[in-house]
């Protein structure tokens, strides 16, 4: 298989745990078969998430030494604001401790009891904040996104008819904004096309509805537009990204992904009045408007990361590394979500373990089995992540997935081979595996801490 070699070299190394099967059996039992509850010191290759797991560059680490830790008006805030204005094009920025800090503030300043928030598939924390503020999330992603085999190149797109129907049904005044995730994490890291972003913006504007992006993986989205959408092949990632953002009124950002840092996020917004409102809340939940939830050094690393992230060589390598893992699995007949997205390869657990009913958590079990096999940590993104509705009934999402999330600039192709080979082995032994039962369930965001026992 052909691959794109790394556009960087290694300056610092971090040893990782090599464990025995017997050790891993102890570990998974202690963790209640939940990979979130395993200590990282027991993990060989950690594909739990691409969030905050990035390797920063020497330039970013140098920036860490330039932290201005003043309580107000830090130099690094100015740098971060400049980076957001220059690269994303938004006017105002409120720094937060991470993405959900921005989601909290956005939800509080815009959502009233009884409102509806359309979005292209839910994300766990995003929906939780919308619901805690009295809103109801409505999925308006195209149907294809719920079908793991469908190869639509822009499977993250908004279904304009669904959006329009919601407006007709509940009225535009009950829809404060539409949340457009670029890319869509739980659909498999699927992108939204520029054409769709334009159309969504037009329809929203006509109805006086704001467009807020979840910009968490926006650089990956820009790469897919360059690769797949007519007219964008000769544009730079930076140009594409800026055009994408021009169709939005603002965004929430988890800097732990496409800003290439380990912690931090922000809310960006063009409207001055809303910015004012956001600053009133940021002082309650995060900190002064000029640092919010971040230290000066963290803001500096993020500002530098924002510029680095639009380098074509970086993003080309990243997307290609993900695809390499996906293709290797796919070639061996393993059911994965297609096309392979920007940040992860998703295994289709319903097809992997067709004999395990969804209520016996096939994806959770597959994640546990992968850890047992080779010490690779992955994450369930299925019925457990989806949680329960307001009446306490389990959501039964169509997609029952295991996510193999690739940290940025961290692992090599040899690591990808280890991951692929152990999944191929698991697939050969799939008939022998049974499901799980849940023995502890917390009330919200249960996937983080729920515990299980094998059936
Ligand atoms: N939006 C998306 C699309 C995300 O993937 C995440 C986090 C957030 C918002 C929240 O940001 O973690 O900085 O508060 N996703 C991580 C993941 C946790 O593993 O997918 P946060």
């Amino acid at each position: 298989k052909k691959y794109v070699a790394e556009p960087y070299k290694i300056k610092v190394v971090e040893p990782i745990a090599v464990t025995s099967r017997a050790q891993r059996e102890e570990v998974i039992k202690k963790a209640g078969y939940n990979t979130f509850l395993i200590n990282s010191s027991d993990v060989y290759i950690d594909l739990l998430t691409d969030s905050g797991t990035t390797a920063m560059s020497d330039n970013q680490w140098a920036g860490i030494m330039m932290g201005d830790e003043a309580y107000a008006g830090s130099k690094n805030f100015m740098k971060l604001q400049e980076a957001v204005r220059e690269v994303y094009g938004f006017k105002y920025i409120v720094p937060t401790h991470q993405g959900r800090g921005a989601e909290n503030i956005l939800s509080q300043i815009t959502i009233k009891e009884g409102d509806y928030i359309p979005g292209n598939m839910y994300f766990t924390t995003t929906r939780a904040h919308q619901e805690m503020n009295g809103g109801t999330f409505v999925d308006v992603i195209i149907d294809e996104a719920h079908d793991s085999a469908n190869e639509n190149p822009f499977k993250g797109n908004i279904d304009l008819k669904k959006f329009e129907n919601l407006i007709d049904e509940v009225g535009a005044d009950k829809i404060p904004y539409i949340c457009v995730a670029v890319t869509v994490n739980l659909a498999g890291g699927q992108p939204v096309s520029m054409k769709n972003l334009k159309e969504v913006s037009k329809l929203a504007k006509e109805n006086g509805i704001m467009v807020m992006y979840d910009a968490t993986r926006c650089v990956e989205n820009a790469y897919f537009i360059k690769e797949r959408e007519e007219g964008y092949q000769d544009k730079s990632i930076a140009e594409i990204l800026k055009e994408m953002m021009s169709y939005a009124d603002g965004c929430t950002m988890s800097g732990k992904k496409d800003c290439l840092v380990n912690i931090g996020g922000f809310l960006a917004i063009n409207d001055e009045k809303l910015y004012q409102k956001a600053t009133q809340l940021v002082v309650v939940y995060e900190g002064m408007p000029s640092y919010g939830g971040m230290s000066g050094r963290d803001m500096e690393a993020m500002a530098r990361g924002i510029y680095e992230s639009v380098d074509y060589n970086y993003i080309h390598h990243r997307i290609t590394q993900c695809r390499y893992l996906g293709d290797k699995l796919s070639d061996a007949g393993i059911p994965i979500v297609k096309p392979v997205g920007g940040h992860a390869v998703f295994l289709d657990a319903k097809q992997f373990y067709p004999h395990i009913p969804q209520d016996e958590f096939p994806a959770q079990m597959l994640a546990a089995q992968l850890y047992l096999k080779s010490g690779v940590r992955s994450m369930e993104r299925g019925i457990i992540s989806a949680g329960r509705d307001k009446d306490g009934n389990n959501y039964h999402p169509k997609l029952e997935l295991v996510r193999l999330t690739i940290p940025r600039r961290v692992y090599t192709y040899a690591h990808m081979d280890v991951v692929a080979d152990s999944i191929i082995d698991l697939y050969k032994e799939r008939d022998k595996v049974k499901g799980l039962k849940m023995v502890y369930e917390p009330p919200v965001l249960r996937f983080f801490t729920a515990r299980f026992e094998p059936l």
Side-chain angles (χ1 to χ4, degrees):
K1 199 109 231 160
K2 223 173 121 49
Y3 54 77
V4 174
E6 286 75 12
Y8 48 81
K9 58 183 177 179
I10 294 162
K11 178 152 17 200
V12 177
V13 296
E14 178 183 346
I16 48 182
V18 179
T19 54
S20 66
R21 171 94 194 187
Q23 283 172 310
R24 294 194 291 275
E25 274 170 7
E26 275 298 296
V27 168
I28 198 78
K29 216 180 281 166
K30 255 209 202 123
Y33 287 78
N34 185 346
T35 52
F36 278 100
L37 300 178
I38 299 174
N39 291 334
S40 74
S41 53
D42 295 322
V43 173
Y44 179 45
I45 300 172
D46 204 348
L47 306 187
L48 185 68
T49 180
D50 62 329
S51 182
T53 51
T54 301
M56 290 205 294
S57 66
D58 53 355
N59 175 53
Q60 286 175 291
W61 279 107
I64 292 273
M65 289 306 293
M66 304 299 287
D68 168 11
E69 307 304 341
Y71 192 78
S74 159
K75 274 193 262 201
N76 313 112
F77 172 69
M78 309 305 164
K79 289 275 267 299
L80 178 59
Q81 189 172 50
E82 199 180 299
V84 170
R85 285 181 177 161
E86 202 175 314
V87 179
Y88 300 112
F90 295 118
K91 251 191 184 142
Y92 301 105
I93 165 186
V94 182
T96 57
H97 69 285
Q98 54 185 68
R100 68 199 74 179
E103 292 166 0
N104 173 37
I105 293 173
L106 174 68
S107 299
Q108 289 206 38
I109 62 178
T110 56
I111 300 172
K112 304 182 303 301
E113 188 70 38
D115 279 352
Y116 294 84
I117 302 90
N120 46 351
M121 205 172 273
Y122 83 98
F123 183 72
T124 52
T125 59
T126 319
R127 188 179 67 193
H129 280 295
Q130 293 165 354
E131 289 178 348
M132 282 162 75
N133 283 284
T136 301
F137 165 80
V138 181
D139 190 6
V140 293
I141 200 166
I142 56 172
D143 286 338
E144 288 94 316
H146 295 280
D147 171 4
S148 68
N150 188 294
E151 302 230 21
N152 186 320
F154 291 105
K155 231 171 149 178
N157 277 359
I158 301 272
D159 185 327
L160 294 164
K161 257 268 85 58
K162 288 187 191 171
F163 181 24
E164 205 164 6
N165 287 347
L166 181 72
I167 298 172
D168 291 343
E169 222 172 278
V170 305
D173 57 330
K174 283 239 170 344
I175 307 175
Y177 65 91
I178 178 166
C179 173
V180 185
V182 285
T183 61
V184 184
N185 187 352
L186 299 195
Q190 305 296 340
V192 182
S193 71
M194 194 73 88
K195 178 164 177 281
N196 191 249
L197 291 174
K198 247 187 257 186
E199 289 167 346
V200 167
S201 160
K202 183 163 173 283
L203 180 58
K205 229 178 229 135
E206 283 164 8
N207 288 278
I209 296 168
M210 280 196 304
V211 178
M212 295 299 296
Y213 288 172
D214 179 336
T216 297
R217 297 181 181 84
C218 57
V219 180
E220 292 169 10
N221 201 99
Y223 179 88
F224 286 120
I225 288 176
K226 182 175 170 72
E227 180 182 65
R228 299 176 184 170
E229 195 163 352
E230 220 194 301
Y232 289 93
Q233 278 68 46
D234 296 331
K235 296 224 156 102
S236 69
I237 297 294
E239 286 170 316
I240 295 170
L241 186 59
K242 197 114 177 231
E243 182 182 342
M244 281 166 55
M245 297 307 187
S246 73
Y247 304 121
D249 298 287
C251 74
T252 54
M253 182 76 190
S254 170
K256 302 169 75 172
K257 285 82 163 176
D258 274 359
C259 299
L260 301 179
V261 289
N262 304 121
I263 193 70
F266 58 81
L267 168 66
I269 204 146
N270 288 333
D271 183 86
E272 196 184 339
K273 281 212 184 89
L274 274 177
Y275 170 68
Q276 287 273 321
K277 272 193 175 173
T279 59
Q280 291 158 14
L281 281 186
V282 77
V283 295
V284 178
Y285 289 101
E286 306 273 337
M288 281 280 288
S290 61
Y291 70 91
M294 297 171 76
S295 62
R297 54 180 169 266
D298 287 341
M299 291 191 283
E300 184 66 31
M302 187 188 267
R304 294 179 184 214
I306 287 173
Y307 291 111
E308 284 178 19
S309 72
V310 294
D311 170 42
Y312 177 77
N313 293 323
Y314 150 70
I315 191 66
H316 177 54
H317 168 263
R318 166 158 182 71
I319 303 284
T320 312
Q321 191 184 40
C322 254
R323 198 171 289 164
Y324 171 83
L325 175 60
D327 287 350
K328 192 157 180 184
L329 292 171
S330 198
D331 290 350
I334 313 286
I336 63 167
V337 174
K338 290 197 182 153
V340 174
H343 67 305
V345 175
F346 288 71
L347 304 174
D348 185 330
K350 275 188 189 168
Q351 283 185 56
F352 201 103
Y353 291 142
H355 55 288
I356 303 180
Q358 193 171 23
D359 287 299
E360 292 174 10
F361 316 120
Q364 187 78 14
M365 192 49 160
L366 180 51
Q369 292 298 325
L370 178 56
Y371 175 74
L372 281 168
K373 175 67 74 186
S374 55
V376 172
R377 174 154 66 175
S378 58
M379 179 195 289
E380 189 263 9
R381 292 274 89 152
I383 183 167
I384 300 159
S385 297
R388 293 175 187 272
D389 65 19
K390 282 181 189 155
D391 304 322
N393 301 310
N394 278 313
Y395 288 110
H396 283 85
K398 285 209 185 100
L399 297 177
E400 175 74 18
L401 309 173
V402 169
R403 189 180 72 173
L404 308 160
T405 339
I406 320 287
R408 293 166 182 78
R409 307 191 287 206
V410 171
Y411 291 116
T412 65
Y413 282 90
H415 291 119
M416 297 300 116
D417 285 337
V418 171
V419 175
D421 291 342
S422 46
I423 294 167
I424 293 167
D425 285 348
L426 282 178
Y427 195 58
K428 291 181 190 145
E429 308 154 3
R430 63 191 180 280
D431 296 341
K432 286 185 240 147
V433 176
K434 296 201 180 100
L436 292 165
K437 68 169 188 272
M438 190 158 29
V439 294
Y440 165 69
E441 178 178 359
V444 282
L445 300 175
R446 63 182 180 183
F447 54 93
F448 284 127
T449 54
R451 302 184 69 84
F452 305 83
E453 279 170 12
L455 284 168

